[in-house]
Amino acid sequence: MCFQSYFGHLLWGPHKIRSRAVCGPRAPSCPWLVYTLFSSCSPKVCVVGSGPGGFYTAQHLIKARPDVELDIYERLPVPFGLVRFGVAPDHPEVKNVINTFTQTAKHSRCNFYGNVNVGRDVTINELKEAYHAVVLSYGAEGNRTMGVPGEDLAGVYAAKDFVGWYNGLPNCRELNPDLSCETAVILGQGNVALDVARILLAPISMLKSTDITQPALEALAQSQVRRVLIVGRRGPLQIACTIKEIREMVNLPGTKPEMLPADFEGISEVLKDVPRPRKRLTELMLKTALETPGEKELERRKSASRSWGFRFFRSPVEVLAEPRTNKTSAIRLAVNRLEGSGADAQAVLTGEVEDVTCGLVISSIGYRSLLIDPGLPFDSRKAIIPNSMGRIQHTPGVYCSGWVKTGPTGVIATTMNNSFDTARSMMEDMDSGALDVSAVKSGSQSITALLRGRGVKPVTFADWEKIDSVETKKGEAEGKPREKLLSVEEMLQVAQT
Amino acid sequence: MAASAAVRTSVGLTLKLSRIIPDCSSCPLYGSKSCVRSATNSQRRSSQDTFRIIYRHLQTSIGLYHSDDGSSNTEDPDDVVNVVYVDRTGQRIPVQAKVGDNVMYLAHKHGIDLEGACEASLACSTCHVYVSDAHFDKLPEPDEREDDMLDMAAMLQENSRLGCQIILTRELDGMELTLPKVTRNFYVDGHVPKPH
């Protein structure tokens, strides 16, 4: 408890210590207020979800306020969310952020509780009872569906599940995608689509030293996919991916680009007024699509056995099946034209359709947040929790950060800024009194007791480190940074013995 | 007493964490044995131990970014490079550094809130800084990969660079590195969320 209130206790006899009443107006720079040990003064916050959204919010709060105690709840036994399950295996540097998150998790004022399903094992209301503030950072685990006939055919997969499969997400391990066809069509042109294309076409020699799962590596080694088309509704100026990923495709060994010059008509003329990021990206595409390659590049393309290309102005209409086997045989695409320009350009149907032969269709048109507790407001059109600067509407004391706050777009840096923003809102509310942190809250003490009573055994951060160690050792034997455990059962076995 | 020991440790830590010296005269512990700055308190260890365990993580800068600048304590004047960081609140923080220091790790060493998610691998844009105009042209041209990452940074400007790619030289003495104010209006001012 703050020392002033401690002395107050001595002087005025035992009574419920209310920090504000005794300490006077909050003086954040006063170093004499000790918060952590005696619960009355320490704000207790819980974060639901241990991906970048959750961890960056936690990091900011812990750093900015010496009194906040933080508990992070995570459904899986393992932390880090999309950093572990979304970032492509051949992008290990992007995963370095795990080191920052690890430091936060091991901070004395932070605790990690894995294997806890908020919504099923414990409710939001129970968390609100136990904590001064709850932050929802559980991301977007659902899919936007294409909504076309044939979407359920064998050979059609959501990119989220395909990525989950090669990244070891436990509920994607049975995906067994059929890679026995020559052409794959990916709907969507964001970075996830580019990642999928790259993993489908990358040389096995490149993949086998990454943390891609062993079953995926073996399946890809047998894959007969030789051509990947990455299809978007609109044009080159509206493509959603970033330049790094395009460059990786252009430079991917053993592959050659296959673009349609007609798709790029009129593009270079409008480039001079376009902001730098869009300009550089478009210039790279133009170069790849239109420029005559030099001798060296020509040689490289001649010997390439695999190809990839963007296809623009096409929307999926139906996935067609081979009548006898009912396996995917083609995708019917509607031809669009653009109305308007720039980011707001709209794709309008022309009435024409085009069939593309393929055996693998991967829809990469967006992740989607789900509602985990009926007590929360939810905007099902945008699939986000309605909020204002991270403060959930009509729900005082509950905040959100990451993709569940803004929608499922953005790289780690975007989520970082978004999470810091939510943390700032929370701090403002603590300082103004809009978030009342004077009451005594039981925090993890009551929640862990509740979970115990329900037969739920949380996985601590130290337990995760056991899993981490097992995965790293298994990986060493194979020349990989880690060999991920693929099921929750295996993870719990290692964590809890 | 537990409370005073905790106060003592907390004070020490707060002093280390912030550069603000507390106003001791307003504190009732001032001059007493419980005061951390008192010479007599060094004898009282036992109750302090528990708190030390709890607080040890706080001793190091939160965010614990290891310093990669191979620091030694030489104060060779030819080696000194003075730079100024301007943090997100506008506060100016002068730093005395050395030739060869990395701007991102230097910021970490001095508790300036410049993130470095990918740890200087050109795989993110979280160490984005604005470089003072007088010094911007003295920096070597960015690698294509740095430009690719800068393209993803919020509030990109002509004088934007990634801090992890700036290595100090004598020429850069007096350089100012401003952290972009990623403000509450981040989304309100028409900014479009970046693709993923």
PDB file of all heavy atoms in Angstrom, chain A residues 209-240:
ATOM      1  N   SER A 209      15.124 -25.542 -43.696  1.00  0.00           N
ATOM      2  CA  SER A 209      15.863 -25.038 -42.542  1.00  0.00           C
ATOM      3  C   SER A 209      15.051 -23.990 -41.774  1.00  0.00           C
ATOM      4  O   SER A 209      15.592 -23.213 -40.999  1.00  0.00           O
ATOM      5  CB  SER A 209      17.189 -24.443 -43.006  1.00  0.00           C
ATOM      6  OG  SER A 209      16.916 -23.442 -43.964  1.00  0.00           O
ATOM      7  N   THR A 210      13.738 -23.969 -42.033  1.00  0.00           N
ATOM      8  CA  THR A 210      12.874 -23.026 -41.307  1.00  0.00           C
ATOM      9  C   THR A 210      12.071 -23.792 -40.263  1.00  0.00           C
ATOM     10  O   THR A 210      12.194 -25.009 -40.152  1.00  0.00           O
ATOM     11  CB  THR A 210      11.877 -22.351 -42.269  1.00  0.00           C
ATOM     12  OG1 THR A 210      10.926 -23.331 -42.704  1.00  0.00           O
ATOM     13  CG2 THR A 210      12.579 -21.741 -43.467  1.00  0.00           C
ATOM     14  N   ASP A 211      11.196 -23.059 -39.552  1.00  0.00           N
ATOM     15  CA  ASP A 211      10.377 -23.755 -38.542  1.00  0.00           C
ATOM     16  C   ASP A 211       9.033 -24.232 -39.113  1.00  0.00           C
ATOM     17  O   ASP A 211       8.094 -24.475 -38.376  1.00  0.00           O
ATOM     18  CB  ASP A 211      10.161 -22.881 -37.297  1.00  0.00           C
ATOM     19  CG  ASP A 211       9.373 -21.608 -37.585  1.00  0.00           C
ATOM     20  OD1 ASP A 211       8.922 -21.419 -38.731  1.00  0.00           O
ATOM     21  OD2 ASP A 211       9.207 -20.807 -36.652  1.00  0.00           O
ATOM     22  N   ILE A 212       8.975 -24.407 -40.430  1.00  0.00           N
ATOM     23  CA  ILE A 212       7.779 -24.981 -41.043  1.00  0.00           C
ATOM     24  C   ILE A 212       7.581 -26.371 -40.443  1.00  0.00           C
ATOM     25  O   ILE A 212       8.552 -27.051 -40.095  1.00  0.00           O
ATOM     26  CB  ILE A 212       7.926 -25.042 -42.587  1.00  0.00           C
ATOM     27  CG1 ILE A 212       6.563 -25.304 -43.242  1.00  0.00           C
ATOM     28  CG2 ILE A 212       8.963 -26.080 -43.006  1.00  0.00           C
ATOM     29  CD1 ILE A 212       6.565 -25.111 -44.741  1.00  0.00           C
ATOM     30  N   THR A 213       6.326 -26.810 -40.305  1.00  0.00           N
ATOM     31  CA  THR A 213       6.122 -28.104 -39.653  1.00  0.00           C
ATOM     32  C   THR A 213       6.587 -29.232 -40.567  1.00  0.00           C
ATOM     33  O   THR A 213       6.558 -29.114 -41.797  1.00  0.00           O
ATOM     34  CB  THR A 213       4.645 -28.344 -39.307  1.00  0.00           C
ATOM     35  OG1 THR A 213       3.904 -28.470 -40.536  1.00  0.00           O
ATOM     36  CG2 THR A 213       4.066 -27.208 -38.491  1.00  0.00           C
ATOM     37  N   GLN A 214       6.991 -30.318 -39.944  1.00  0.00           N
ATOM     38  CA  GLN A 214       7.501 -31.454 -40.710  1.00  0.00           C
ATOM     39  C   GLN A 214       6.458 -32.009 -41.688  1.00  0.00           C
ATOM     40  O   GLN A 214       6.770 -32.247 -42.860  1.00  0.00           O
ATOM     41  CB  GLN A 214       8.002 -32.539 -39.746  1.00  0.00           C
ATOM     42  CG  GLN A 214       8.965 -33.535 -40.361  1.00  0.00           C
ATOM     43  CD  GLN A 214      10.190 -32.889 -40.971  1.00  0.00           C
ATOM     44  OE1 GLN A 214      10.614 -31.807 -40.581  1.00  0.00           O
ATOM     45  NE2 GLN A 214      10.751 -33.536 -41.976  1.00  0.00           N
ATOM     46  N   PRO A 215       5.198 -32.234 -41.245  1.00  0.00           N
ATOM     47  CA  PRO A 215       4.209 -32.745 -42.199  1.00  0.00           C
ATOM     48  C   PRO A 215       4.024 -31.810 -43.395  1.00  0.00           C
ATOM     49  O   PRO A 215       3.869 -32.277 -44.530  1.00  0.00           O
ATOM     50  CB  PRO A 215       2.916 -32.821 -41.362  1.00  0.00           C
ATOM     51  CG  PRO A 215       3.367 -32.900 -39.957  1.00  0.00           C
ATOM     52  CD  PRO A 215       4.637 -32.138 -39.880  1.00  0.00           C
ATOM     53  N   ALA A 216       4.042 -30.502 -43.180  1.00  0.00           N
ATOM     54  CA  ALA A 216       3.885 -29.567 -44.295  1.00  0.00           C
ATOM     55  C   ALA A 216       5.089 -29.648 -45.221  1.00  0.00           C
ATOM     56  O   ALA A 216       4.950 -29.643 -46.450  1.00  0.00           O
ATOM     57  CB  ALA A 216       3.712 -28.141 -43.777  1.00  0.00           C
ATOM     58  N   LEU A 217       6.267 -29.744 -44.637  1.00  0.00           N
ATOM     59  CA  LEU A 217       7.482 -29.838 -45.448  1.00  0.00           C
ATOM     60  C   LEU A 217       7.426 -31.072 -46.338  1.00  0.00           C
ATOM     61  O   LEU A 217       7.731 -31.018 -47.542  1.00  0.00           O
ATOM     62  CB  LEU A 217       8.710 -29.881 -44.538  1.00  0.00           C
ATOM     63  CG  LEU A 217      10.062 -29.788 -45.214  1.00  0.00           C
ATOM     64  CD1 LEU A 217      10.221 -28.444 -45.905  1.00  0.00           C
ATOM     65  CD2 LEU A 217      11.185 -29.986 -44.194  1.00  0.00           C
ATOM     66  N   GLU A 218       7.006 -32.196 -45.758  1.00  0.00           N
ATOM     67  CA  GLU A 218       6.934 -33.435 -46.535  1.00  0.00           C
ATOM     68  C   GLU A 218       5.898 -33.325 -47.637  1.00  0.00           C
ATOM     69  O   GLU A 218       6.125 -33.762 -48.765  1.00  0.00           O
ATOM     70  CB  GLU A 218       6.633 -34.621 -45.610  1.00  0.00           C
ATOM     71  CG  GLU A 218       7.865 -35.025 -44.798  1.00  0.00           C
ATOM     72  CD  GLU A 218       7.533 -35.934 -43.623  1.00  0.00           C
ATOM     73  OE1 GLU A 218       6.403 -36.462 -43.571  1.00  0.00           O
ATOM     74  OE2 GLU A 218       8.417 -36.102 -42.754  1.00  0.00           O
ATOM     75  N   ALA A 219       4.748 -32.729 -47.316  1.00  0.00           N
ATOM     76  CA  ALA A 219       3.702 -32.578 -48.328  1.00  0.00           C
ATOM     77  C   ALA A 219       4.176 -31.669 -49.463  1.00  0.00           C
ATOM     78  O   ALA A 219       3.937 -31.945 -50.639  1.00  0.00           O
ATOM     79  CB  ALA A 219       2.432 -32.016 -47.695  1.00  0.00           C
ATOM     80  N   LEU A 220       4.863 -30.582 -49.109  1.00  0.00           N
ATOM     81  CA  LEU A 220       5.337 -29.653 -50.133  1.00  0.00           C
ATOM     82  C   LEU A 220       6.429 -30.280 -50.983  1.00  0.00           C
ATOM     83  O   LEU A 220       6.556 -29.998 -52.177  1.00  0.00           O
ATOM     84  CB  LEU A 220       5.820 -28.350 -49.496  1.00  0.00           C
ATOM     85  CG  LEU A 220       4.686 -27.485 -48.943  1.00  0.00           C
ATOM     86  CD1 LEU A 220       5.227 -26.425 -47.988  1.00  0.00           C
ATOM     87  CD2 LEU A 220       3.919 -26.812 -50.084  1.00  0.00           C
ATOM     88  N   ALA A 221       7.220 -31.166 -50.363  1.00  0.00           N
ATOM     89  CA  ALA A 221       8.269 -31.849 -51.130  1.00  0.00           C
ATOM     90  C   ALA A 221       7.661 -32.729 -52.212  1.00  0.00           C
ATOM     91  O   ALA A 221       8.261 -32.948 -53.263  1.00  0.00           O
ATOM     92  CB  ALA A 221       9.159 -32.666 -50.197  1.00  0.00           C
ATOM     93  N   GLN A 222       6.450 -33.236 -51.976  1.00  0.00           N
ATOM     94  CA  GLN A 222       5.763 -34.090 -52.959  1.00  0.00           C
ATOM     95  C   GLN A 222       4.831 -33.290 -53.856  1.00  0.00           C
ATOM     96  O   GLN A 222       4.183 -33.858 -54.737  1.00  0.00           O
ATOM     97  CB  GLN A 222       4.880 -35.138 -52.234  1.00  0.00           C
ATOM     98  CG  GLN A 222       5.593 -35.960 -51.194  1.00  0.00           C
ATOM     99  CD  GLN A 222       6.682 -36.798 -51.816  1.00  0.00           C
ATOM    100  OE1 GLN A 222       6.503 -37.343 -52.901  1.00  0.00           O
ATOM    101  NE2 GLN A 222       7.820 -36.867 -51.157  1.00  0.00           N
ATOM    102  N   SER A 223       4.732 -32.004 -53.613  1.00  0.00           N
ATOM    103  CA  SER A 223       3.731 -31.191 -54.306  1.00  0.00           C
ATOM    104  C   SER A 223       3.972 -31.154 -55.801  1.00  0.00           C
ATOM    105  O   SER A 223       5.114 -31.080 -56.259  1.00  0.00           O
ATOM    106  CB  SER A 223       3.771 -29.772 -53.739  1.00  0.00           C
ATOM    107  OG  SER A 223       3.139 -28.874 -54.609  1.00  0.00           O
ATOM    108  N   GLN A 224       2.871 -31.175 -56.564  1.00  0.00           N
ATOM    109  CA  GLN A 224       2.999 -31.052 -58.017  1.00  0.00           C
ATOM    110  C   GLN A 224       2.563 -29.673 -58.504  1.00  0.00           C
ATOM    111  O   GLN A 224       2.454 -29.438 -59.710  1.00  0.00           O
ATOM    112  CB  GLN A 224       2.158 -32.134 -58.691  1.00  0.00           C
ATOM    113  CG  GLN A 224       2.851 -33.492 -58.518  1.00  0.00           C
ATOM    114  CD  GLN A 224       1.912 -34.627 -58.797  1.00  0.00           C
ATOM    115  OE1 GLN A 224       1.055 -34.524 -59.674  1.00  0.00           O
ATOM    116  NE2 GLN A 224       2.043 -35.708 -58.053  1.00  0.00           N
ATOM    117  N   VAL A 225       2.328 -28.789 -57.561  1.00  0.00           N
ATOM    118  CA  VAL A 225       1.910 -27.437 -57.936  1.00  0.00           C
ATOM    119  C   VAL A 225       3.090 -26.726 -58.598  1.00  0.00           C
ATOM    120  O   VAL A 225       4.183 -26.652 -58.033  1.00  0.00           O
ATOM    121  CB  VAL A 225       1.435 -26.639 -56.697  1.00  0.00           C
ATOM    122  CG1 VAL A 225       1.120 -25.202 -57.064  1.00  0.00           C
ATOM    123  CG2 VAL A 225       0.221 -27.310 -56.074  1.00  0.00           C
ATOM    124  N   ARG A 226       2.859 -26.225 -59.806  1.00  0.00           N
ATOM    125  CA  ARG A 226       3.944 -25.567 -60.535  1.00  0.00           C
ATOM    126  C   ARG A 226       3.593 -24.136 -60.912  1.00  0.00           C
ATOM    127  O   ARG A 226       4.438 -23.385 -61.385  1.00  0.00           O
ATOM    128  CB  ARG A 226       4.242 -26.338 -61.842  1.00  0.00           C
ATOM    129  CG  ARG A 226       4.816 -27.719 -61.623  1.00  0.00           C
ATOM    130  CD  ARG A 226       6.229 -27.643 -61.091  1.00  0.00           C
ATOM    131  NE  ARG A 226       6.725 -28.963 -60.735  1.00  0.00           N
ATOM    132  CZ  ARG A 226       6.644 -29.501 -59.520  1.00  0.00           C
ATOM    133  NH1 ARG A 226       6.070 -28.838 -58.549  1.00  0.00           N
ATOM    134  NH2 ARG A 226       7.132 -30.709 -59.285  1.00  0.00           N
ATOM    135  N   ARG A 227       2.331 -23.767 -60.742  1.00  0.00           N
ATOM    136  CA  ARG A 227       1.899 -22.452 -61.227  1.00  0.00           C
ATOM    137  C   ARG A 227       0.893 -21.904 -60.234  1.00  0.00           C
ATOM    138  O   ARG A 227      -0.049 -22.607 -59.852  1.00  0.00           O
ATOM    139  CB  ARG A 227       1.240 -22.638 -62.586  1.00  0.00           C
ATOM    140  CG  ARG A 227       0.870 -21.392 -63.320  1.00  0.00           C
ATOM    141  CD  ARG A 227       0.541 -21.788 -64.760  1.00  0.00           C
ATOM    142  NE  ARG A 227      -0.111 -20.681 -65.436  1.00  0.00           N
ATOM    143  CZ  ARG A 227      -1.417 -20.611 -65.706  1.00  0.00           C
ATOM    144  NH1 ARG A 227      -2.221 -21.603 -65.365  1.00  0.00           N
ATOM    145  NH2 ARG A 227      -1.911 -19.549 -66.318  1.00  0.00           N
ATOM    146  N   VAL A 228       1.134 -20.650 -59.784  1.00  0.00           N
ATOM    147  CA  VAL A 228       0.229 -20.035 -58.820  1.00  0.00           C
ATOM    148  C   VAL A 228      -0.239 -18.693 -59.363  1.00  0.00           C
ATOM    149  O   VAL A 228       0.580 -17.841 -59.726  1.00  0.00           O
ATOM    150  CB  VAL A 228       0.923 -19.831 -57.456  1.00  0.00           C
ATOM    151  CG1 VAL A 228      -0.001 -19.095 -56.493  1.00  0.00           C
ATOM    152  CG2 VAL A 228       1.337 -21.172 -56.863  1.00  0.00           C
ATOM    153  N   LEU A 229      -1.560 -18.517 -59.434  1.00  0.00           N
ATOM    154  CA  LEU A 229      -2.116 -17.235 -59.860  1.00  0.00           C
ATOM    155  C   LEU A 229      -2.723 -16.553 -58.644  1.00  0.00           C
ATOM    156  O   LEU A 229      -3.466 -17.169 -57.886  1.00  0.00           O
ATOM    157  CB  LEU A 229      -3.202 -17.453 -60.922  1.00  0.00           C
ATOM    158  CG  LEU A 229      -2.706 -18.121 -62.207  1.00  0.00           C
ATOM    159  CD1 LEU A 229      -3.866 -18.393 -63.151  1.00  0.00           C
ATOM    160  CD2 LEU A 229      -1.660 -17.241 -62.903  1.00  0.00           C
ATOM    161  N   ILE A 230      -2.377 -15.280 -58.469  1.00  0.00           N
ATOM    162  CA  ILE A 230      -2.842 -14.519 -57.304  1.00  0.00           C
ATOM    163  C   ILE A 230      -3.818 -13.479 -57.829  1.00  0.00           C
ATOM    164  O   ILE A 230      -3.432 -12.541 -58.532  1.00  0.00           O
ATOM    165  CB  ILE A 230      -1.648 -13.858 -56.596  1.00  0.00           C
ATOM    166  CG1 ILE A 230      -0.561 -14.905 -56.297  1.00  0.00           C
ATOM    167  CG2 ILE A 230      -2.102 -13.179 -55.310  1.00  0.00           C
ATOM    168  CD1 ILE A 230       0.775 -14.311 -55.908  1.00  0.00           C
ATOM    169  N   VAL A 231      -5.092 -13.683 -57.497  1.00  0.00           N
ATOM    170  CA  VAL A 231      -6.175 -12.973 -58.187  1.00  0.00           C
ATOM    171  C   VAL A 231      -6.790 -11.886 -57.317  1.00  0.00           C
ATOM    172  O   VAL A 231      -7.117 -12.120 -56.156  1.00  0.00           O
ATOM    173  CB  VAL A 231      -7.282 -13.996 -58.577  1.00  0.00           C
ATOM    174  CG1 VAL A 231      -8.461 -13.298 -59.237  1.00  0.00           C
ATOM    175  CG2 VAL A 231      -6.696 -15.067 -59.488  1.00  0.00           C
ATOM    176  N   GLY A 232      -6.992 -10.695 -57.904  1.00  0.00           N
ATOM    177  CA  GLY A 232      -7.630  -9.598 -57.170  1.00  0.00           C
ATOM    178  C   GLY A 232      -8.813  -9.037 -57.922  1.00  0.00           C
ATOM    179  O   GLY A 232      -8.847  -9.075 -59.154  1.00  0.00           O
ATOM    180  N   ARG A 233      -9.775  -8.470 -57.157  1.00  0.00           N
ATOM    181  CA  ARG A 233     -10.985  -7.919 -57.773  1.00  0.00           C
ATOM    182  C   ARG A 233     -10.690  -6.663 -58.563  1.00  0.00           C
ATOM    183  O   ARG A 233     -11.369  -6.344 -59.539  1.00  0.00           O
ATOM    184  CB  ARG A 233     -12.001  -7.530 -56.695  1.00  0.00           C
ATOM    185  CG  ARG A 233     -12.642  -8.657 -55.956  1.00  0.00           C
ATOM    186  CD  ARG A 233     -13.499  -8.105 -54.808  1.00  0.00           C
ATOM    187  NE  ARG A 233     -12.748  -7.254 -53.930  1.00  0.00           N
ATOM    188  CZ  ARG A 233     -13.073  -5.999 -53.611  1.00  0.00           C
ATOM    189  NH1 ARG A 233     -14.164  -5.447 -54.118  1.00  0.00           N
ATOM    190  NH2 ARG A 233     -12.325  -5.299 -52.793  1.00  0.00           N
ATOM    191  N   ARG A 234      -9.705  -5.881 -58.071  1.00  0.00           N
ATOM    192  CA  ARG A 234      -9.462  -4.568 -58.672  1.00  0.00           C
ATOM    193  C   ARG A 234      -8.122  -4.589 -59.411  1.00  0.00           C
ATOM    194  O   ARG A 234      -7.695  -5.650 -59.883  1.00  0.00           O
ATOM    195  CB  ARG A 234      -9.530  -3.495 -57.585  1.00  0.00           C
ATOM    196  CG  ARG A 234     -10.917  -3.468 -56.915  1.00  0.00           C
ATOM    197  CD  ARG A 234     -11.067  -2.322 -55.932  1.00  0.00           C
ATOM    198  NE  ARG A 234     -10.212  -2.489 -54.763  1.00  0.00           N
ATOM    199  CZ  ARG A 234     -10.058  -1.539 -53.833  1.00  0.00           C
ATOM    200  NH1 ARG A 234     -10.677  -0.382 -53.963  1.00  0.00           N
ATOM    201  NH2 ARG A 234      -9.292  -1.751 -52.788  1.00  0.00           N
ATOM    202  N   GLY A 235      -7.487  -3.426 -59.557  1.00  0.00           N
ATOM    203  CA  GLY A 235      -6.317  -3.340 -60.423  1.00  0.00           C
ATOM    204  C   GLY A 235      -5.009  -3.252 -59.672  1.00  0.00           C
ATOM    205  O   GLY A 235      -4.976  -3.312 -58.447  1.00  0.00           O
ATOM    206  N   PRO A 236      -3.905  -3.074 -60.412  1.00  0.00           N
ATOM    207  CA  PRO A 236      -2.576  -3.013 -59.806  1.00  0.00           C
ATOM    208  C   PRO A 236      -2.441  -1.895 -58.769  1.00  0.00           C
ATOM    209  O   PRO A 236      -1.720  -2.063 -57.786  1.00  0.00           O
ATOM    210  CB  PRO A 236      -1.653  -2.756 -61.001  1.00  0.00           C
ATOM    211  CG  PRO A 236      -2.402  -3.282 -62.180  1.00  0.00           C
ATOM    212  CD  PRO A 236      -3.847  -3.067 -61.883  1.00  0.00           C
ATOM    213  N   LEU A 237      -3.150  -0.801 -58.959  1.00  0.00           N
ATOM    214  CA  LEU A 237      -2.991   0.311 -58.010  1.00  0.00           C
ATOM    215  C   LEU A 237      -3.720   0.070 -56.689  1.00  0.00           C
ATOM    216  O   LEU A 237      -3.563   0.831 -55.745  1.00  0.00           O
ATOM    217  CB  LEU A 237      -3.503   1.619 -58.632  1.00  0.00           C
ATOM    218  CG  LEU A 237      -2.599   2.202 -59.710  1.00  0.00           C
ATOM    219  CD1 LEU A 237      -3.284   3.393 -60.374  1.00  0.00           C
ATOM    220  CD2 LEU A 237      -1.258   2.642 -59.121  1.00  0.00           C
ATOM    221  N   GLN A 238      -4.532  -0.988 -56.663  1.00  0.00           N
ATOM    222  CA  GLN A 238      -5.274  -1.276 -55.435  1.00  0.00           C
ATOM    223  C   GLN A 238      -4.724  -2.502 -54.710  1.00  0.00           C
ATOM    224  O   GLN A 238      -5.275  -2.938 -53.706  1.00  0.00           O
ATOM    225  CB  GLN A 238      -6.766  -1.505 -55.750  1.00  0.00           C
ATOM    226  CG  GLN A 238      -7.523  -0.249 -56.141  1.00  0.00           C
ATOM    227  CD  GLN A 238      -7.258   0.213 -57.553  1.00  0.00           C
ATOM    228  OE1 GLN A 238      -7.114  -0.622 -58.455  1.00  0.00           O
ATOM    229  NE2 GLN A 238      -7.179   1.510 -57.759  1.00  0.00           N
ATOM    230  N   ILE A 239      -3.625  -3.053 -55.218  1.00  0.00           N
ATOM    231  CA  ILE A 239      -3.127  -4.299 -54.627  1.00  0.00           C
ATOM    232  C   ILE A 239      -2.779  -4.071 -53.159  1.00  0.00           C
ATOM    233  O   ILE A 239      -2.262  -3.022 -52.789  1.00  0.00           O
ATOM    234  CB  ILE A 239      -1.922  -4.846 -55.433  1.00  0.00           C
ATOM    235  CG1 ILE A 239      -1.769  -6.340 -55.204  1.00  0.00           C
ATOM    236  CG2 ILE A 239      -0.629  -4.110 -55.099  1.00  0.00           C
ATOM    237  CD1 ILE A 239      -0.755  -7.006 -56.134  1.00  0.00           C
ATOM    238  N   ALA A 240      -3.085  -5.047 -52.308  1.00  0.00           N
ATOM    239  CA  ALA A 240      -3.005  -4.831 -50.863  1.00  0.00           C
ATOM    240  C   ALA A 240      -1.705  -5.297 -50.227  1.00  0.00           C
ATOM    241  O   ALA A 240      -1.465  -5.021 -49.055  1.00  0.00           O
ATOM    242  CB  ALA A 240      -4.183  -5.523 -50.182  1.00  0.00           C
TER     243      ALA A 240
END
